[in-house]
Every structure is written in structure tokens, then in C-alpha cells.
Amino acid sequence: MKTVLITGTSSGIGRAAAARLARRPDLTVYATARKTAAIEDLAATGAQMLPLDVTDEASMTAAVAEIERRHGQVDVLVNNAGYGEYGPIEEADIDRVRRQFETNVFGLARLTQLVLPGMRRAGRGRIVNISSMGGRLVFPGGGYYHASKYAVEAISDALRQEVRPFGIEVSIVEPGLIRTGFGAVAGESLGANPSGPYRGLVAAVDRAMTKSYANPALAATPDAVAKVIERAVTARRPHTRYIVTGAARALVHTRRLLGGRAFDAINRVQFR
């Protein structure tokens, strides 16, 4: 049985992935959250519970050490923990931006460092990093969030090449709009000065986000991402990238084909 460590399972994509993977007889899944009380109900799916805060060194070290004590190594790491801090570049609270990077980037990187020695000793392993279509394109008002996901993409691409000789695979999952609490949290963080120069842009971004997340043709459920994570975890030869939702694939390819200025023009129409 392979051991799977998933971060950020208290809600949304992480919770759906933990529940789906824990039902597989070939996997022992460790669902984690800062407070295990938030994920106790996942025990009914067969998942094991561990406290884990990806912004705390002692917490990360203890979680990995406990799995290695029980099983020898972490076979699969799913770096899912993350959230969106939105707002204009000029007006965003830089301390909040730092906290976002601690979770989205530095926590992911440090936990990866902690599991890799065990994976190398075993001669096998798999790391699945949850990025976003926002790691391939940028919308106004989300620059700092997008920057964190671009960082995840770069780390993953370098890591994949570095660890392949040790039998370790690295995949990136890039969801589009997913109906979780993400949209609400991102909307709350917009918070521009109500009398400032970006108030019109912020209002337009807020309207567009609300409308898009409410549209079932654009936004999928967390389980749609969980199914893709399952493929990335269990495939004999996993893809380097998995884009989730048709709308996300269309946007990513549109940005790639049209280039920066044309995509900017589309955004000006959408967020006017």
C-alpha cells in the first residue's frame, strides 16, 4: 500500500481528494489540517488524520516523521494547501501577500524538501502540486495570487527534472474555476480604497468573479479536481500537467496563441 500525504484537506479540493483517495484499497491516505477537529469526519472514508500547518516548520517536520515512523517513507505528496489574496498591486497589503506566499509557495517547497530523502531512499515517489490556470495566465486584481502559482509552476518544472533519476515523478494540476470557498475569500481580500484610483477595476473584478463562479458552464465541483488528482497519483506514467475544466483549457490556450497584448485587450473588455 502506498502512503499519501495531502495538505489542506479541511475544505474544497483537498477534502474531496482525501475522501476519494482514501476509499482506494491500495492507498493509505493521511488527511491534514491545522486542527484535526476540522477533518474528523474524513475518518469515515478510511483516511488517517494528522495535524499539519504548512507555515510551521515543527508541524511539517513532525507530520513527515510520523508517517515515516509508521511506513518508512511518504510515497505520494499532494501539495494542495493554498488560498487567494487579491487586490491591485499598488494597494494590496504586503504583509498579507507574504502570508499567502508562506502557504502557497514556501510551505509547498519546504514540505517537498522534507519528504524527498525518504522517497530517494525508497527509489520511488510522486509529488502532485496543485497549481491553477492562474499559473499560466494573469487577470487584473490577482497579480500576487498569480505570482504564487507561477512560482509553483517553476518549482515543479525544475523539481521534475532534478528528481526523475531517483524514480520520483512530479505533476502539476491546474484547476480552472472550482466551486469552493476560494471565490468568496478572494473577493473579500480585494479590499481596495473605496475612494481610490482602482475602485472601478475592483468592482468590475468582483462582479466578474461572482458571475463566473455561479456559472456551472465555467465552474466545476471539487470532485472534478479530485478525479484528476487520483489519475496523477495512480497513473503508470503521469502527465507533467493536468488542466481541469474545458473553460480553463480554452483560456490557457487562448493566452498562449494570442500573446500578451491581445489577451490584455480581452481582459479590458471583461473587466471594464
Side-chain angles (χ1 to χ4, degrees):
M1 293 179 69
K2 292 182 179 179
T3 60
V4 182
L5 171 59
I6 309 176
T7 65
T9 65
S10 61
S11 63
I13 293 170
R15 173 177 284 268
R20 171 171 285 272
L21 293 176
R23 293 188 176 98
R24 292 183 60 102
D26 56 339
L27 302 177
T28 299
V29 173
Y30 285 86
T32 68
R34 290 176 182 173
K35 297 181 179 179
T36 54
I39 56 174
E40 285 179 347
D41 59 311
L42 285 173
T45 67
Q48 305 293 312
M49 311 294 133
L50 277 180
L52 175 57
D53 181 348
V54 299
T55 65
D56 182 87
E57 175 72 16
S59 176
M60 289 187 284
T61 301
V64 173
E66 179 60 19
I67 296 174
E68 291 184 341
R69 184 187 68 80
R70 298 181 190 180
H71 304 280
Q73 72 280 325
V74 175
D75 294 307
V76 180
L77 170 63
V78 180
N79 279 310
N80 168 73
Y83 67 98
E85 192 67 56
Y86 273 56
I89 297 299
E90 181 181 348
E91 294 185 341
D93 184 327
I94 207 68
D95 287 331
R96 292 177 64 166
V97 172
R98 287 192 182 97
R99 287 194 293 273
Q100 176 186 234
F101 270 75
E102 284 292 340
T103 297
N104 293 12
V105 181
F106 302 127
L108 172 150
R110 181 57 182 145
L111 197 55
T112 298
Q113 290 180 332
L114 290 170
V115 304
L116 279 174
M119 289 182 175
R120 285 190 293 102
R121 286 193 300 269
R124 68 178 189 275
R126 192 161 297 191
I127 296 172
V128 180
N129 290 331
I130 310 306
S131 179
S132 166
M133 70 173 180
R136 306 277 292 277
L137 51 84
V138 176
F139 296 123
Y144 290 116
Y145 169 71
H146 289 284
S148 74
K149 292 304 184 181
Y150 269 69
V152 169
E153 299 270 337
I155 289 169
S156 302
D157 281 341
L159 180 67
R160 184 177 63 253
Q161 298 170 74
E162 293 168 359
V163 300
R164 187 175 182 185
F166 304 106
I168 301 167
E169 299 277 3
V170 179
S171 295
I172 307 167
V173 175
E174 301 169 326
L177 300 180
I178 306 299
R179 293 194 291 277
T180 66
F182 178 91
V185 171
E188 289 171 5
S189 71
L190 278 166
N193 183 344
S195 61
Y198 301 100
R199 61 187 182 278
L201 170 65
V202 168
V205 170
D206 189 38
R207 286 195 301 271
M209 288 178 64
T210 300
K211 183 177 180 181
S212 296
Y213 275 97
N215 186 342
L218 298 178
T221 65
D223 197 53
V225 188
K227 291 177 183 177
V228 174
I229 293 172
E230 182 179 23
R231 290 204 295 273
V233 166
T234 61
R236 182 181 296 275
R237 295 189 63 187
H239 296 175
T240 59
R241 281 175 168 79
Y242 296 85
I243 303 177
V244 186
T245 79
R249 283 190 290 274
L251 282 168
V252 167
H253 293 311
T254 296
R255 171 63 182 85
R256 178 176 58 85
L257 292 171
L258 293 184
R261 291 191 180 278
F263 196 74
D264 287 355
I266 293 172
N267 283 341
R268 282 196 296 273
V269 172
Q270 183 177 3
F271 298 110
R272 64 189 175 188

